[in-house]
Amino acid sequence: MGSFIGHVLPGTLFLLVGVWHIWSAVVRHVSNPKSFRVRVWNPVPGFDGKLKYMELYVIVIGAFIDMCIELFYSTHLKFFVNGVLNPHHMNDFEHSGMLLMFVIFGVVTLLSEKTRFLPLPEESLCFIAATAFCGEYLLFNFHSTTHKGLEGYYHLLLVLLIALCVLSCAAGGIFPTSFPIDLSSGIAITLQGLWFYQTAFTLYGPMMPDGCRLKENMVSCHSTDSEVRGEFLANFQLFALVFGVLAGVAGSYIFAASRYGNSEFRSLHIVQDALD
């Protein structure tokens, strides 16, 4: 099933990375649209370059901590029962494997950027990121835990958002100069993080729909109508999150263009406005 903290921790990681990706893509594009290229990670400026690789460290350390929680804390170190993997904690093992994929992605990217042992082009890093998200997609799509009812619907929407992350990252490797694709990648990662939060507050927090409840680690609804109302609520929540993120992207683009915009780019828009 899961828990509140089990959704908030990965949600925080995805949300931080996604928001930073959106802002960095917007700033790079408005600064110089002609030389824009897709980046699977974005350096943090300032402090004499000391925070340059902060995003990658956040991914590696955050995913590693979450992996340790899933693998050691959630299982209570009871890995095996009668010589086989503990069937009561298969979902914890699966979540650990998913998080390991992101640890590997972060480590490989750091090695590629900071050493000469693994020089990889940005397009290859995009495909490695897509592979990590693909592992997450396969995990949630073929989960050992049976997701039914309202819980299954929230799970289905999460899987769709993960699929968008896979497609956008892979597309970034195929079209390395596309600003819409790079921006879409950041939006998809941000929405995934927000949906983890929404799932936590709805299924394990104070936003449980009327007629449904969490009992014995399972979400159950009193009637089919209650379950349908819960699904309609989920649709509205996702729509609100998409609308909010797109509004935030538009606002950030306007702000970035006014502060970091290329002078030639702004002059072109002024001329176009005059012709119109």
Side-chain angles (χ1 to χ4, degrees), residues 19 89 204 255:
V19 170
H89 294 289
Y204 311 99
F255 176 78

Side-chain angles (χ1 to χ4, degrees), residues 59-197:
I59 293 173
V60 173
I61 296 174
F64 181 76
I65 292 175
D66 199 4
M67 181 183 71
C68 290
I69 293 174
E70 292 283 354
L71 187 60
F72 300 116
Y73 177 77
S74 298
T75 62
H76 309 290
L77 300 180
K78 296 179 180 179
F79 301 136
F80 297 96
V81 175
N82 298 325
V84 298
L85 281 176
N86 191 336
H88 298 293
H89 294 289
M90 288 301 297
N91 61 322
D92 298 316
F93 298 138
E94 292 166 348
H95 294 164
S96 300
M98 173 199 77
L99 292 163
L100 178 61
M101 294 291 291
F102 291 102
V103 172
I104 293 174
F105 159 73
V107 170
V108 169
T109 306
L110 280 171
L111 289 175
S112 176
E113 297 292 336
K114 298 189 68 174
T115 70
R116 300 179 180 179
F117 299 111
L118 197 63
L120 295 173
E122 196 70 27
E123 292 83 353
S124 298
L125 297 178
C126 287
F127 286 117
I128 294 174
T131 302
F133 282 115
C134 188
E136 183 189 14
Y137 173 84
L138 292 174
L139 163 75
F140 282 111
N141 198 38
F142 300 102
H143 210 300
S144 62
T145 302
T146 302
H147 295 281
K148 297 180 179 179
L150 184 61
E151 178 199 356
Y153 194 74
Y154 275 82
H155 177 269
L156 172 62
L157 295 178
L158 174 63
V159 169
L160 293 177
L161 293 175
I162 297 172
L164 290 179
C165 292
V166 175
L167 294 175
S168 59
C169 287
I174 300 173
F175 305 100
T177 60
S178 174
F179 169 65
I181 287 177
D182 200 17
L183 187 61
S184 297
S185 179
I187 291 174
I189 296 172
T190 301
L191 285 174
Q192 184 185 165
L194 289 172
W195 193 247
F196 268 111
Y197 264 89

